[in-house]
């Protein structure tokens, strides 16, 4: 993420050059084509012509090669016939001044503001910076985001499960979401439901990270020591948000480090990440626009839920039809423990309380990247 504007100091292209393989000519010579011109040399990309193209002359030229002095247009090779032995070329068409010529600075000129602070540098941006010889820019450091799982039932070493145990999936998904968001996502392992272990894990995380993503222990369970400990060592807000999944959520500070207490259920932790953690940490990372982007789609399924006072975020698969419209259908089981539907989903469909969406109706969706 750029921390400061980047201004160009060079021209791109750095010199006038040809966009086509062909012959560099004086356009005035092509009036009344077909005409035959004398070929005075060949210019490959990376080389220059020793000489000047005068009236009645042409230079053979390859894409990207600099326009030779004297020439003001290029005739593409397909509209010429070259007689190598005679060093002549027949030009079949008349062309305008500047035909197939890319002038110097057509893309970038010195003084141009290339990219503003808050721009996330992607492939194209890096290519532009390389094209103007900029190798150093001022950036916001990737936030270091620690990911902790909590719960005695969690197993992460691949051993056979004992009764009551489950495998830790949240850490894998959250680490991957963080990495995909461009952050430095750090695996901080599992903190077992024991006050000492939880305290130690969170204090160490707060020391070493810019933000902490924990999952589990934020709901009403009796052994949720995460709550007790975070209240002791931090300044936390415990929330019940009127959404499903991802109702329980906690946010606060341990020292100066923000802690996002995501729910334990695998779908809930991902939804909570999308709605709350991603925008907030994105803001910390210097993004200039962290708003959620909602689109409209046509539902191909019934999307409804019993009245419960909550907005539901249903996991849906999407396709775009030939008119560019999104169509969505249920991606599978909608339980907050049914991660397969979340994995398959392209979007979350927002279904407000009391709204019954039937096939053909419009629905708002939050695309998942
Ligand atoms: P909790 O919020 O700790 O009460 O957890 C809610 C549900 O999420 C329980 O069924 C937990 O077993 C499950 N859960 C918690 N953490 C994880 C995790 N890291 N991976 C998979 N499931 C989890
Ligand atoms: Mg738990």
């Amino acid at each position: 993420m750029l921390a400061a504007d980047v201004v160009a100091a060079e021209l791109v292209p750095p010199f006038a050059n040809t966009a086509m393989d062909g012959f560099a000519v004086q356009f005035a010579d092509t009036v009344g084509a077909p005409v035959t011109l004398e070929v005075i040399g060949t210019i490959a990309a990376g080389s220059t012509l020793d000489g000047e193209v005068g009236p009645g002359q042409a230079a053979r030229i390859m894409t990207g090669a600099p326009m030779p002095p004297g020439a003001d247009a290029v005739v593409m090779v397909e509209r010429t016939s070259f007689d190598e032995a005679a060093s002549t070329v027949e030009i079949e068409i008349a062309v305008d001044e500047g035909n197939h010529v890319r002038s110097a600075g057509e893309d970038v000129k010195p003084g141009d503001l290339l990219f503003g602070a808050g721009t996330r540098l992607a492939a194209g941006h890096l290519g532009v910076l390389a094209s103007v010889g900029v190798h150093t820019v001022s950036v916001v450091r990737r936030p270091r985001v620690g990911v902790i799982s909590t719960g005695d039932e969690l197993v992460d070493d691949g051993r056979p499960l004992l009764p009551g145990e489950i495998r830790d999936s949240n850490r894998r998904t959250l680490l991957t979401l963080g990495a995909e968001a461009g952050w430095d996502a750090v695996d901080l392992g599992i903190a077992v439901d024991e006050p000492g272990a939880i305290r130690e894990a969170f204090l160490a995380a707060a020391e070493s990270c810019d933000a902490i993503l924990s999952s589990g222990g934020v709901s009403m369970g009796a052994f949720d020591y995460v709550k007790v400990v975070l209240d002791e060592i931090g300044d936390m807000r415990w929330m019940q948000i009127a959404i499903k999944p991802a109702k329980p959520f906690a946010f606060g500070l341990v020292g100066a480090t923000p802690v996002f207490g995501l729910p334990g259920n695998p779908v809930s932790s991902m939804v909570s990440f999308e709605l709350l953690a991603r925008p907030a940490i994105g803001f910390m990372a210097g993004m200039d626009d962290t708003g959620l982007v909602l689109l409209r789609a046509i539902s191909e399924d019934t999307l409804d839920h019993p009245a419960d006072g909550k907005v539901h975020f249903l996991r849906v698969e999407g396709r775009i039809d030939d008119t560019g419209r999104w169509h969505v259908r249920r991606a599978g089981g909608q339980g907050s423990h049914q991660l397969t539907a979340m994995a398959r989903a392209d979007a979350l469909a927002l279904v407000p309380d009391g709204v019954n969406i039937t096939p053909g109706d419009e629905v708002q969706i939050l695309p998942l990247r």
Side-chain angles (χ1 to χ4, degrees):
M1 201 75 60
L2 281 179
D5 297 349
V6 179
V7 175
E10 290 188 6
L11 290 164
V12 182
F15 49 84
N17 67 94
T18 173
M20 288 281 177
D21 296 323
F23 288 82
V25 300
Q26 295 194 351
F27 89 97
D29 279 342
T30 68
V31 177
V35 293
T36 300
L37 303 176
E38 177 200 356
V39 177
I40 60 165
T42 298
I43 321 163
S47 73
T48 53
L49 181 73
D50 202 11
E52 188 166 325
V53 173
Q57 295 183 325
R60 217 172 143 212
I61 192 166
M62 308 306 155
T63 303
M67 287 297 287
D72 55 17
V74 169
V75 182
M76 68 198 293
V77 69
E78 292 84 347
R79 310 311 298 269
T80 65
S81 31
F82 181 37
D83 183 340
E84 198 156 4
S87 289
T88 58
V89 62
E90 188 183 70
I91 304 294
E92 296 166 6
I93 52 163
V95 295
D96 291 334
E97 185 172 12
N99 191 58
H100 297 320
V101 177
R102 307 189 281 211
S103 51
E106 216 170 71
D107 192 20
V108 177
K109 291 186 182 54
D112 282 356
L113 170 64
L114 288 178
F115 309 119
T119 303
R120 182 171 174 188
L121 295 176
H125 304 98
L126 295 178
V128 169
L129 295 180
S131 77
V132 292
V134 170
H135 299 289
T136 309
V137 288
S138 162
V139 294
V140 180
R141 187 170 56 79
R142 288 169 189 272
R144 189 176 154 85
V145 179
V147 178
I148 304 180
S149 290
T150 68
D152 274 341
E153 72 279 31
L154 301 178
V155 171
D156 71 346
D157 60 4
R159 66 171 167 78
L161 297 176
L162 297 173
E165 291 181 336
I166 61 163
R167 302 196 190 280
D168 177 4
S169 59
N170 292 351
R171 206 149 38 99
R172 177 60 41 222
T173 54
L174 293 171
L175 283 166
T176 306
L177 287 168
E180 285 174 355
W183 311 332
D184 183 8
V186 187
D187 187 350
L188 299 179
I190 298 172
V192 291
D193 278 331
E194 189 270 304
I198 295 171
R199 183 177 300 113
E200 213 169 287
F202 277 89
L203 285 175
E207 276 294 306
S208 64
C209 296
D210 301 308
I212 301 170
L213 287 176
S214 75
S215 69
V218 294
S219 51
M220 303 302 209
F223 301 103
D224 285 345
Y225 291 120
V226 173
K227 235 176 188 163
V228 178
V229 169
L230 281 178
D231 270 337
E232 257 171 48
I233 62 172
D235 177 16
M236 300 295 296
R237 305 283 177 277
W238 304 91
M239 299 164 228
Q240 302 287 320
I241 305 176
I243 58 174
K244 188 173 181 173
K247 181 175 73 152
F249 178 69
F251 178 77
L253 297 175
V254 171
T257 307
V259 178
F260 297 83
L262 310 180
N265 276 308
V267 178
S268 309
S269 69
M270 287 185 80
V271 170
S272 203
F273 176 92
E274 291 299 337
L275 299 181
L276 302 161
R278 184 197 288 279
I281 300 176
F283 182 74
M284 291 174 64
M287 271 175 76
D288 52 358
D289 182 6
T290 56
L292 298 175
V293 177
L294 299 181
L295 302 179
R296 296 200 160 274
I298 306 289
S299 180
E300 294 179 349
D301 282 336
T302 296
L303 303 177
D304 60 355
H305 59 88
D308 58 3
K310 299 178 198 160
V311 178
H312 285 220
F313 290 82
L314 300 184
R315 275 68 74 201
V316 291
E317 285 180 280
R319 67 176 178 87
I320 298 174
D321 70 19
D322 0 345
T323 70
R325 290 216 72 152
W326 273 79
H327 292 250
V328 295
R329 51 174 53 236
R330 289 170 178 269
Q334 297 290 331
S336 59
H337 57 298
Q338 292 174 300
L339 193 54
T340 51
M342 184 68 184
R344 288 191 199 110
D346 301 304
L348 300 172
L350 276 69
V351 184
D353 200 31
V355 172
N356 182 8
I357 290 161
T358 55
D361 286 353
E362 255 196 1
V363 62
Q364 276 199 309
I365 60 168
L366 174 69
L368 300 167
R369 45 224 98 185

